[in-house]
């Protein structure tokens, strides 16, 4: 696929790297010559210096020949105009990063789809959704919404008291409960594997499963019998991400909420917009304030300021004070392996990674409705709509040959969600949930497109 990428910031570079690794034909446009030089030194793609909304620059980048335009500059007006020009030029698919929530609602007065933009993406909103999903299932290492929130993919670490440690899955006495979900992957000592009936989980395995939300919550409680949950949430950072997350918590949960914001004006704004949550003006690096918050074993602490180092440090302080679990927003990709190896915080999120997950299905093809890269394991979850006349139509899952390292986990038919079994047949308009190792998913490109 030929892709025009506008903006060489953190999100643009991360997306460019993934596209380049998958052998897509990428053209990257940015005003910053030094940023483009760094990209050229690391990736095999074409770069053009110039304004992303300049028609002459877009023509020079070959806009009339591209299949997809993704506008990720830090100026939403530039992104909107660039995608509008791409629409005029006949580009089939256009994606724009826009932070103003007034543009985000499809039913709103200013629906940008009316001017040809196919997808409006707000990375703070996407990251807030990811964080909120984590809070919905205590003990989960990662939670991903799938199939328009009809299914969840959840990653958990097997504890010492897990009921499934007694032997292979096929010999488990919990057959009825196991039938409600589908295991899709697990890691042990760094090795990624697909679970089967003879798989026997071990303490410390990172296991991923997929299912209907209520069944997943029930199953995670079964897997983690000692998980007590929490009653309080403390958010360090009242910026766009923190405020969006706080609003969701206030509207959809009964959790006690505190927001800690260092900037006085921003703290006042948060206080005005939140109806129940307590807003405190202060720094999460101030240990006296942190102690006064009463952080304890019933507290979930989420550091989501724009400063990676502050987020990590404040999470360490919260952990020392006894927080139930800690989450840090970390934008710098090179920090991730260090944090993981030293176990500095329980979980890490990145708005840039959340953004890329939300748009990558546009690269896969028109039949792909979602594509999520998981954080704790090297794999992808793909939502695939079965079009009329597809080769899989009318076949049972046992008759479909998939590459090694790939499986079908769930099928959504109308409003009914089916756990994948060998006897389940596929029909036109089914939405099929696939999990696969990256190399395995690439082997399905023709099938998915």
């Amino acid at each position: 696929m030929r892709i025009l990428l506008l903006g060489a910031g953190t999100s643009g570079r991360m997306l460019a790297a993934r596209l380049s690794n998958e052998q897509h034909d990428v053209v990257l446009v940015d005003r910053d010559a030094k940023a483009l030089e760094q990209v050229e030194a690391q990736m095999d793609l074409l770069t053009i210096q110039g304004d992303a909304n300049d028609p002459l620059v877009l023509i020079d980048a070959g806009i009339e020949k591209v299949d997809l335009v993704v506008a990720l500059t830090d100026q939403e007006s530039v992104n909107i105009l660039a995608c509008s020009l791409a629409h005029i030029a006949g580009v089939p698919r256009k994606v724009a990063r826009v932070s103003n929530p007034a543009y985000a609602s499809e039913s709103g007065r200013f629906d940008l789809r009316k001017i040809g933009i196919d997808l409006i993406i707000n990375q703070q909103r996407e990251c807030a959704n990811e964080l909120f999903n984590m809070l919905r299932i205590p003990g989960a290492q990662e939670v991903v919404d799938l199939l328009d929130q009809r299914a969840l993919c959840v990653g958990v670490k097997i504890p010492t008291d897990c009921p499934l440690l007694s032997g292979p899955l096929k010999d488990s006495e919990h057959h009825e409960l196991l039938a409600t979900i589908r295991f899709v992957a697990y890691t042990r000592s760094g090795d990624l594997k697909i679970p089967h009936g003879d798989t026997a989980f071990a303490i410390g395995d990172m296991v991923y499963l997929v299912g209907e939300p209520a069944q997943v919550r029930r199953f995670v409680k079964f897997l983690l019998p000692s998980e007590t949950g929490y009653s309080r949430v403390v958010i360090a950072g009242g910026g766009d991400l923190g405020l969006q997350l706080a609003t969701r918590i206030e509207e959809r949960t009964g959790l006690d909420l505190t927001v800690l914001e260092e900037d006085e004006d921003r703290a006042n704004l948060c206080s005005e917009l939140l109806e129940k949550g307590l807003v405190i003006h202060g720094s999460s690096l101030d240990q006296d304030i942190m102690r006064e918050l009463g952080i304890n074993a019933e507290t979930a602490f989420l550091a989501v300021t724009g400063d990676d180092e502050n987020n990590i440090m404040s999470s360490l302080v919260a952990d020392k004070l006894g927080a139930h679990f800690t989450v840090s927003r970390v934008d710098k990709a090179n920090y991730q392996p260090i944090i993981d190896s030293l176990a500095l915080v329980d979980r890490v999120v990145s708005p840039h990674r959340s953004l890329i997950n939300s748009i990558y299905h546009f690269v896969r093809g028109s039949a792909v409705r979602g594509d999520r890269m998981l954080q704790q394991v090297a794999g992808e979850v793909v939502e695939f709509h079965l079009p009329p006349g597809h080769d899989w139509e009318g076949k049972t899952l046992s008759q479909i040959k998939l590459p090694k390292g790939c499986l079908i986990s769930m099928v959504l038919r109308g409003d009914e969600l089916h756990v994948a079994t060998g006897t389940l047949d596929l029909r036109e308009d089914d939405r099929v949930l696939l999990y696969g190792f990256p190399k395995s998913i690439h082997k399905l490109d023709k099938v998915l497109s």
Side-chain angles (χ1 to χ4, degrees), residues 2-8 12-13 16-17 20 25-51 57 60-62:
R2 186 171 177 83
I3 301 166
L4 176 56
L5 185 54
L6 308 176
R13 292 195 302 271
S20 179
D25 187 1
V26 181
V27 180
L28 178 61
V29 174
D30 197 279
R31 290 184 298 179
D32 189 339
K34 290 184 178 179
L36 294 179
E37 288 177 5
Q38 293 176 355
V39 170
E40 287 181 329
Q42 299 170 355
M43 308 172 204
D44 182 19
L45 48 77
L46 174 65
T47 63
I48 296 177
Q49 183 184 2
D51 290 328
V57 172
D60 190 31

Side-chain angles (χ1 to χ4, degrees), residues 45-72:
L45 48 77
L46 174 65
T47 63
I48 296 177
Q49 183 184 2
D51 290 328
N53 60 348
D54 185 333
L56 295 180
V57 172
L58 296 176
I59 291 173
D60 190 31
I63 192 169
E64 296 178 347
K65 298 179 181 179
V66 303
D67 304 296
L68 170 66
V69 167
V70 182
L72 299 178

Side-chain angles (χ1 to χ4, degrees), residues 335-400:
Y335 278 15
Q336 179 79 50
I338 299 172
I339 294 170
D340 290 343
S341 63
L342 298 177
L344 296 178
V345 298
D346 293 322
R347 287 155 229 179
V348 172
V349 295
S350 164
H352 304 293
R353 187 183 293 112
S354 300
L355 178 145
I356 293 171
N357 269 337
S358 300
I359 66 177
Y360 207 78
H361 63 282
F362 272 65
V363 178
R364 292 288 182 214
S366 59
V368 176
R369 302 295 175 82
D371 185 300
R372 297 275 174 166
M373 288 285 290
L374 301 177
Q375 294 190 34
Q376 303 289 333
V377 297
E380 293 181 48
V381 181
V382 177
E383 302 176 22
F384 172 57
H385 173 254
L386 200 69
H390 192 275
D391 288 345
W392 289 358
E393 186 179 349
K395 292 183 179 179
T396 63
L397 298 189
S398 61
Q399 294 174 320
I400 295 174

Side-chain angles (χ1 to χ4, degrees), residues 90-200:
V91 178
R93 315 186 89 184
K94 290 79 57 182
V95 177
R97 177 168 68 180
V98 178
S99 58
N100 190 333
Y103 293 121
S105 174
E106 295 180 355
S107 58
R109 182 178 300 175
F110 301 105
D111 182 0
L112 295 180
R113 294 180 303 170
K114 296 177 181 178
I115 59 173
I117 303 179
D118 300 289
L119 179 63
I120 302 298
I121 189 72
N122 181 325
Q123 68 183 37
Q124 306 299 346
R125 182 186 64 198
E126 297 301 327
C127 191
N129 288 339
E130 185 176 337
L131 287 165
F132 181 73
N133 284 337
M134 284 185 187
L135 294 174
R136 292 164 65 187
I137 305 183
Q141 299 293 311
E142 184 174 3
V143 182
V144 178
D145 263 327
L146 302 166
L147 298 172
D148 299 331
Q149 301 183 359
R150 291 186 176 94
L152 291 176
C153 179
V154 175
V156 298
K157 186 167 288 188
I158 298 295
T160 55
D161 56 352
C162 177
L164 293 183
L165 289 174
S166 57
L169 292 174
K170 65 181 181 181
D171 297 334
S172 173
E173 62 184 14
H174 306 285
H175 293 297
E176 291 185 6
L177 193 57
L178 286 168
T180 63
I181 57 92
R182 179 72 190 269
F183 289 112
V184 294
Y186 73 103
T187 58
R188 180 179 299 165
S189 302
D191 294 330
L192 178 61
K193 302 178 181 181
I194 297 286
H196 299 285
D198 338 339
T199 299

Side-chain angles (χ1 to χ4, degrees), residues 249-359:
I249 293 171
E250 198 175 63
E251 291 176 348
R252 306 181 195 179
T253 76
L255 296 170
D256 181 44
L257 172 66
T258 301
V259 176
L260 186 60
E261 170 54 45
E262 189 170 5
D263 181 82
E264 185 175 2
D265 291 338
R266 187 69 189 184
N268 289 334
L269 176 64
C270 291
S271 183
E272 292 174 6
L273 295 177
L274 295 174
E275 297 180 1
K276 303 175 185 176
L278 173 65
V279 179
I280 296 176
H281 172 223
S283 170
S284 57
L285 295 180
D286 187 325
Q287 295 193 41
D288 291 334
I289 291 179
M290 292 286 280
R291 278 193 291 268
E292 290 174 5
L293 288 174
I295 293 173
N296 55 31
E298 295 184 355
T299 306
F301 181 84
L302 301 94
V304 295
T305 75
D307 188 309
D308 290 358
E309 291 79 10
N310 283 1
N311 292 337
I312 296 169
M313 291 301 296
S314 60
S315 292
L316 290 173
V317 172
D319 182 68
K320 186 176 180 180
L321 292 171
H324 186 86
F325 82 102
T326 57
V327 182
S328 289
R329 167 186 172 175
V330 176
D331 292 341
K332 296 183 179 70
N334 55 345
Y335 278 15
Q336 179 79 50
I338 299 172
I339 294 170
D340 290 343
S341 63
L342 298 177
L344 296 178
V345 298
D346 293 322
R347 287 155 229 179
V348 172
V349 295
S350 164
H352 304 293
R353 187 183 293 112
S354 300
L355 178 145
I356 293 171
N357 269 337
S358 300
I359 66 177

